[in-house]
Amino acid sequence: MTSLNTLKNLKTKKIRVGRGIGSGKGKTSGRGVKGQKSRSGVAIKSFEGGQMPLYRRLPKRGFNPINKKNIAVINLGDLQKLINAKKISTDIKINIETLKKSKLFRKSINKFKVLSNGELNSKIDIEADYSSKITKEKIEKAGGQITLKNQPK
């Protein structure tokens, strides 16, 4: 004796549309009468019955990354010019907060990197997020020191 739960018994019969009135799906094949949706080959993509479609309700993103890292770059030559112009003091530790207070960086800047372009004559103490190896050498040669945040020493 075979069990009743075989795959053959679980299959539902496919409805054959357009095969006469007796089938219940004859003539218009369940599509109603006239109109765009009754024709073949029509798909109204993202149409929500007059409601504002989802793609128009969501904000535009484009090529603006959401988690953008605002990293500012400053060269050693620029730092020396700022020290000569007395916009930065060599007595205090130079970090992102001091550069924001002296209005050299915008408030939206989260991190900054020191690069080695230019010459440095002053002894300075910098706390930066990133720097190049040559920068570190130049700062130490001038008698200063650089500490990098969130990086092994």
Side-chain angles (χ1 to χ4, degrees):
M1 184 174 172
T2 58
S3 68
L4 295 172
N5 275 347
T6 59
L7 282 175
K8 192 174 183 182
N9 294 335
L10 290 174
K11 285 185 186 176
T12 53
K13 202 171 184 185
K14 186 182 176 206
I15 298 169
R16 298 180 70 207
V17 292
R19 295 293 187 276
I21 13 175
S23 69
K25 287 278 186 236
K27 194 185 168 207
T28 53
S29 307
R31 286 176 172 261
V33 189
K34 295 186 181 176
Q36 184 181 12
K37 289 162 102 181
S38 70
R39 317 276 187 237
S40 67
V42 174
I44 306 169
K45 289 181 184 139
S46 70
F47 183 70
E48 299 179 20
Q51 172 179 300
M52 187 61 69
L54 184 67
Y55 75 93
R56 287 186 60 196
R57 277 180 272 162
L58 299 173
K60 285 198 267 183
R61 276 191 50 205
F63 288 94
N64 301 321
I66 292 173
N67 302 324
K68 184 177 173 185
K69 290 187 176 91
N70 287 330
I71 300 172
V73 174
I74 193 159
N75 285 308
L76 287 179
D78 299 335
L79 279 172
Q80 186 61 50
K81 284 179 187 172
L82 293 167
I83 290 166
N84 294 344
K86 298 198 170 129
K87 292 202 175 197
I88 297 177
S89 174
T90 55
D91 307 337
I92 57 169
K93 186 175 231 178
I94 299 168
N95 56 18
I96 197 153
E97 285 77 30
T98 56
L99 293 168
K100 280 182 184 179
K101 280 180 187 172
S102 58
K103 295 186 178 176
L104 296 169
F105 290 165
R106 293 188 310 266
K107 289 179 182 176
S108 62
I109 300 294
N110 330 20
K111 297 179 177 186
F112 83 103
K113 183 175 186 173
V114 186
L115 297 177
S116 64
N117 283 4
E119 290 301 316
L120 183 72
N121 308 323
S122 307
K123 180 184 171 184
I124 55 172
D125 186 16
I126 300 181
E127 183 185 22
D129 295 288
Y130 310 102
S131 79
S132 59
K133 288 179 183 176
I134 300 166
T135 307
K136 191 173 182 180
E137 290 168 12
K138 282 188 177 181
I139 291 170
E140 287 170 355
K141 187 179 176 185
Q145 69 176 43
I146 182 164
T147 51
L148 300 177
K149 287 194 242 172
N150 305 327
Q151 289 187 5
K153 293 176 183 174

